[in-house]
Amino acid sequence: MAAGALSRGLGVLQSMVGYPEGLPLARIAEEQDLPKSAAHRILVSLVDEGFVRQHEPSGNYALTLKIVSLGLRHMASSTIFELAVPVLARLAAESGQLVRLGLVDGEQLLWVAKSQGSRAGLRYDPDHGSEIPFASSASGVAWLSCLTDDEALRLVARQDYDERHPAGRNAPTSLAEVQSRIHQARERGWAHVHDSVEEGISAMATPLVDSGTGAPLGVVSIAGPSLQLPDERMAELAPHLLETAVELSGLAGSLSQEIRARAGLGVPG
């Protein structure tokens, strides 16, 4: 990307800081001294990359949490974040696998923290900070299980499966199959997949919910090589996963608010 284009893109992002309700295209173009057509092209690219979303029905553009999630490693001074990390680390040690925390951001689910339980040998440790695929991942299905079927399937249908949302050989091939996975997760209390997002990788996840409203706040998951996470091992780990979710649920709402405050996004009412 040319230096000028990068500078304009960063300027557009900065324009939206502090406006959780978003800004109209005309306001952003005016603040950055850009033609509306140029500002629109930049915003379309930022939406495609997940850094910006467009509110309906206002059409305003607003920041997502993706930028913040990429920089969470620099948030060591956050008391709430420091409280969440040891909880993840404990489950990682108990499972010997990768444990991750995902938070809800609008209609997205983003990885924001992780702890690796495997110190040697075969291990799974991808980069985090990216949007979570709904239909094919245990975390996505766990979150969808907290929504109505209609709302869950609407979110699945609108998420494009391109290079940012890979799918393994066991990924669902129809909305009916996704719905079946959601129903199983609701009944069990946690979701699981084998070779669905990536070949040779299995995962299990359960939602974090607000104790007062029951609203989904995020997810906590365990993921690792499929050879190390067969169904029998998942059944052994399920009580630990559910206990961790209860503990993290109390922190997730505060953590989400703190992240938003640090990003200048405000706290949703």
Side-chain angles (χ1 to χ4, degrees):
M1 179 184 292
L6 176 59
S7 177
R8 290 192 295 271
L10 292 173
V12 167
L13 288 173
Q14 291 171 2
S15 293
M16 290 177 280
V17 172
Y19 295 95
E21 74 282 2
L23 292 175
L25 171 62
R27 170 80 175 275
I28 295 170
E30 179 182 358
E31 287 197 1
Q32 295 302 313
D33 194 22
L34 291 170
K36 286 185 180 180
S37 58
H40 183 259
R41 285 194 298 271
I42 293 171
L43 286 164
V44 168
S45 295
L46 292 171
V47 169
D48 287 343
E49 294 300 323
F51 293 105
V52 171
R53 66 171 178 266
Q54 188 173 21
H55 287 314
E56 298 295 343
S58 69
N60 287 355
Y61 293 91
L63 294 177
T64 70
L65 291 182
K66 185 171 183 179
I67 294 175
V68 185
S69 70
L70 294 176
L72 279 176
R73 69 191 64 185
H74 299 297
M75 294 183 64
S77 61
S78 168
T79 302
I80 297 172
F81 190 72
E82 287 178 338
L83 289 173
V85 169
V87 179
L88 298 176
R90 186 175 66 241
L91 182 59
E94 291 170 341
S95 65
Q97 304 298 337
L98 176 68
V99 172
R100 288 185 285 184
L101 170 67
L103 290 182
V104 173
D105 175 31
E107 294 189 341
Q108 290 184 318
L109 193 58
L110 299 174
W111 299 124
V112 297
K114 68 179 180 179
S115 181
Q116 177 59 258
S118 176
R119 302 304 176 190
L122 194 61
R123 56 186 276 175
Y124 175 60
D125 196 1
D127 291 335
H128 71 293
S130 58
E131 182 185 356
I132 301 171
F134 299 145
S136 59
S137 70
S139 291
V141 172
W143 178 43
L144 296 178
S145 71
C146 293
L147 309 178
T148 66
D149 281 3
D150 288 345
E151 182 66 8
L153 296 180
R154 181 186 69 81
L155 293 177
V156 169
R158 68 174 294 185
Q159 191 176 56
D160 294 327
Y161 282 83
D162 52 21
E163 65 277 3
R164 290 174 296 175
H165 301 295
R169 59 185 171 86
N170 287 335
T173 57
S174 67
L175 289 179
E177 189 174 352
V178 176
Q179 188 174 37
S180 176
R181 292 189 179 191
I182 292 171
H183 290 175
Q184 290 175 4
R186 281 199 197 115
E187 182 177 350
R188 185 189 295 115
W190 51 278
H192 75 291
V193 298
H194 299 288
D195 307 304
S196 184
V197 177
E198 298 180 49
E199 292 297 321
I201 298 299
S202 293
M204 59 190 299
T206 193
L208 311 180
V209 297
D210 186 293
S211 59
T213 66
L217 300 170
V219 295
V220 59
S221 72
I222 302 172
S226 295
L227 290 175
Q228 298 175 6
L229 278 178
D231 288 337
E232 296 79 7
R233 178 57 175 156
M234 288 187 176
E236 294 173 354
L237 291 172
H240 300 286
L241 178 68
L242 295 173
E243 289 171 6
T244 299
V246 171
E247 192 169 356
L248 284 173
S249 291
L251 299 173
S254 298
L255 177 58
S256 181
Q257 290 179 13
E258 181 166 335
I259 291 170
R260 287 179 174 275
R262 285 173 176 262
L265 293 176
V267 178

